[in-house]
């Protein structure tokens, strides 16, 4: 179980306190957001993707990786995809803080390797939702299965929870807003004990496709908790692929479509529809989204390389 699969050494806990300084830089960047057709985006930080170099030289991480395999949803397990024409991607889970802000914590870990402990992402997302609530409200009401009166109450709860109550859990409405705020697709996989309502694909439908980064951000949701998903990066790999299917290899649901978008989906099919937002590979009946390594500007790449060398030295001292 993911609750008992803990990191067995402290040096990889760069996902928390040791990266808070980096988040301060990101927080200052949020003050100078650019608009794309009126919708804000963190241009300099939204294209990062959590991955780690091959951990074979770290026995403790290999043990941790093996421990969490049973906790991964079936589509993310390496052994689920024997016989592919390409090498399956090795995904892993990152322990994510469960303080009522787990969605933003999971997203912050995916992008910047640090929890959203100062609520920077949550607060900025709340402000974006307040400014764009009419467009999201229309999609929410079209997609809900609740009676109109109850649905309207649920919408007000979603709107107020992120703005008023910093400890209140976030929902699928906020995932959709995050996808648009970051200009990137988000894919949520359901684990044991999770509700199927949350799992699926959240496209940045409020943004022009050409303005978006075509690499989805994966996360797992079970036991009412969002958990970060990363992948292991090997030198021999030319690309990494994320399966866009459920445990029975059925296509994942697309959330928050309008009636017109639903008709378009039926007309051209899910592969063509998704192809506007991400690069796809077809393997039988299953679509895979290409997960390219993050494209970092040279100064950030040099900084990351320096930090990685420091981590290697810390790991050697602790082995």
């Amino acid at each position: 179980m993911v609750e008992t699969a803990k990191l067995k050494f402290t040096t990889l806990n760069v996902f928390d306190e040791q990266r808070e300084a980096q988040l301060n830089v990101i927080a200052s960047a949020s003050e100078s957001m650019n608009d794309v057709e009126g919708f804000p985006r963190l241009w300099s930080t939204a294209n990062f993707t959590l991955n780690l170099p091959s951990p074979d030289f770290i026995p403790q991480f290999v043990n941790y990786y093996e421990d969490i395999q049973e906790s991964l949803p079936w589509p993310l397990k390496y052994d689920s995809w024997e016989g592919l024409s390409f090498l399956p991607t090795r995904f892993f889970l990152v322990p994510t803080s469960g303080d009522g802000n787990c969605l933003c914590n999971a997203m912050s870990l995916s992008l910047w390797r640090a929890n959203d402990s100062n609520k920077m992402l949550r607060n900025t997302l709340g402000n974006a939702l307040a400014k764009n609530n009419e467009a999201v409200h229309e999609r929410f009401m079209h997609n809900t299965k609740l009676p109109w009166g109850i649905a309207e109450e649920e919408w007000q709860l979603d709107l107020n929870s992120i703005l008023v109550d910093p400890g209140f859990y976030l929902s699928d409405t906020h995932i959709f807003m995050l996808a648009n705020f970051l200009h990137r697709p988000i894919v949520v996989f359901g684990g044991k004990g999770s509700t199927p309502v949350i799992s699926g694909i959240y496209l940045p439908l409020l943004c022009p496709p050409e303005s978006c980064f075509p690499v989805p951000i994966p996360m797992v949701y079970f036991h009412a908790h969002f958990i970060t998903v990363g992948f292991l990066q090997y030198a021999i790999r030319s690309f990494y692929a994320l399966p866009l299917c459920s445990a029975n290899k059925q296509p994942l649901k697309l959330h928050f479509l309008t009636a017109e978008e639903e008709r378009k989906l039926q007309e051209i099919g899910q592969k063509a529809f998704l192809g506007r937002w991400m690069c796809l590979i077809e393997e039988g009946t299953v679509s895979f989204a290409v997960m390219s390594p993050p494209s970092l500007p040279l100064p950030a790449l040099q900084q990351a390389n320096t930090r990685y060398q420091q981590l290697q030295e810390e790991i050697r001292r602790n082995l």
Side-chain angles (χ1 to χ4, degrees):
M1 295 295 295
V2 90
E3 290 82 1
T4 58
K6 303 295 184 182
L7 287 173
K8 296 181 176 61
F9 60 111
T10 61
T11 51
L12 277 180
N13 286 335
V14 296
F15 306 118
D16 204 7
E17 291 86 356
Q18 296 182 25
R19 298 301 289 270
E20 288 300 322
Q22 183 177 358
L23 260 189
N24 291 333
V25 177
I26 294 164
S28 63
S30 68
E31 298 176 359
S32 56
M33 294 183 297
N34 295 293
D35 283 357
V36 176
E37 293 194 1
F39 206 87
R41 176 191 181 185
L42 290 175
W43 282 105
S44 61
T45 61
N47 293 359
F48 296 173
T49 306
L50 176 61
N51 66 75
L52 289 176
S54 170
D56 294 340
F57 70 98
I58 312 174
Q60 293 95 328
F61 188 85
V62 173
N63 293 337
Y64 167 74
Y65 174 77
E66 293 175 351
D67 286 344
I68 54 88
Q69 284 304 295
E70 288 303 315
S71 299
L72 281 169
W74 184 89
L76 298 181
K77 291 183 179 181
Y78 183 83
D79 294 339
S80 299
W81 299 106
E82 295 180 359
L84 292 179
S85 60
F86 54 88
L87 286 173
T89 300
R90 293 185 180 273
F91 294 99
F92 65 94
L93 302 179
V94 178
T96 307
S97 177
D99 56 359
N101 195 38
C102 59
L103 173 59
C104 291
N105 284 334
M107 186 59 59
S108 185
L109 283 168
S110 295
L111 295 173
W112 309 308
R113 300 189 183 185
N115 280 301
D116 187 36
S117 56
N118 60 2
K119 303 294 192 298
M120 180 276 296
L121 182 58
R122 183 181 181 117
N123 293 336
T124 312
L125 177 63
N127 293 332
L129 179 57
K131 294 177 181 178
N132 297 272
N133 67 80
E134 291 186 9
V136 183
H137 177 256
E138 180 182 353
R139 292 175 179 272
F140 175 89
M141 296 302 289
H142 176 71
N143 284 267
T144 185
K145 305 299 182 184
L146 298 172
W148 187 89
I150 299 177
E152 189 63 32
E153 291 178 4
E154 190 72 18
W155 164 255
Q156 290 300 325
L157 182 62
D158 282 352
L159 184 62
N160 294 331
S161 62
I162 192 169
L163 295 171
V164 178
D165 188 346
F168 196 86
Y169 70 91
L170 303 183
S171 68
D172 53 348
T173 302
H174 307 107
I175 303 173
F176 177 67
M177 278 302 299
L178 271 173
N180 287 279
F181 178 65
L182 299 171
H183 287 224
R184 287 185 68 174
I186 297 174
V187 181
V188 180
F189 295 90
K192 297 178 181 178
S194 68
T195 169
V197 174
I198 297 292
S199 60
I201 301 171
Y202 297 79
L203 297 173
L205 297 166
L206 302 179
C207 311
E210 60 272 14
S211 76
C212 299
F213 189 52
V215 176
I217 302 172
M219 63 177 60
V220 168
Y221 180 79
F222 52 71
H223 298 298
H225 183 58
F226 292 98
I227 299 177
T228 305
V229 176
F231 65 91
L232 304 182
Q233 185 174 338
Y234 290 83
I236 62 173
R237 301 292 296 271
S238 57
F239 68 90
Y240 304 83
L242 178 72
L244 303 177
C245 68
S246 62
N248 56 3
K249 294 190 176 182
Q250 293 300 307
L252 292 174
K253 176 184 176 181
L254 274 63
H255 289 268
F256 285 87
L257 300 181
T258 62
E260 181 180 350
E261 289 164 346
E262 289 174 345
R263 287 191 293 270
K264 189 68 173 179
L265 177 63
Q266 291 295 323
E267 176 186 339
I268 66 176
Q270 185 154 322
K271 175 185 175 182
F273 193 91
L274 290 176
R276 301 176 61 209
W277 307 98
M278 57 186 85
C279 302
L280 300 179
I281 302 172
E282 296 298 309
E283 190 75 18
T285 60
V286 177
S287 295
F288 290 76
V290 174
M291 301 280 293
S292 62
S295 300
L296 297 177
L298 184 58
L301 191 61
Q302 293 171 337
Q303 182 180 10
N305 183 58
T306 300
R307 179 61 184 142
Y308 177 58
Q309 292 175 350
Q310 293 172 347
L311 277 175
Q312 284 184 309
E313 183 59 32
E314 291 176 19
I315 290 168
R316 292 190 186 98
R317 289 198 301 266
N318 285 275
L319 288 180

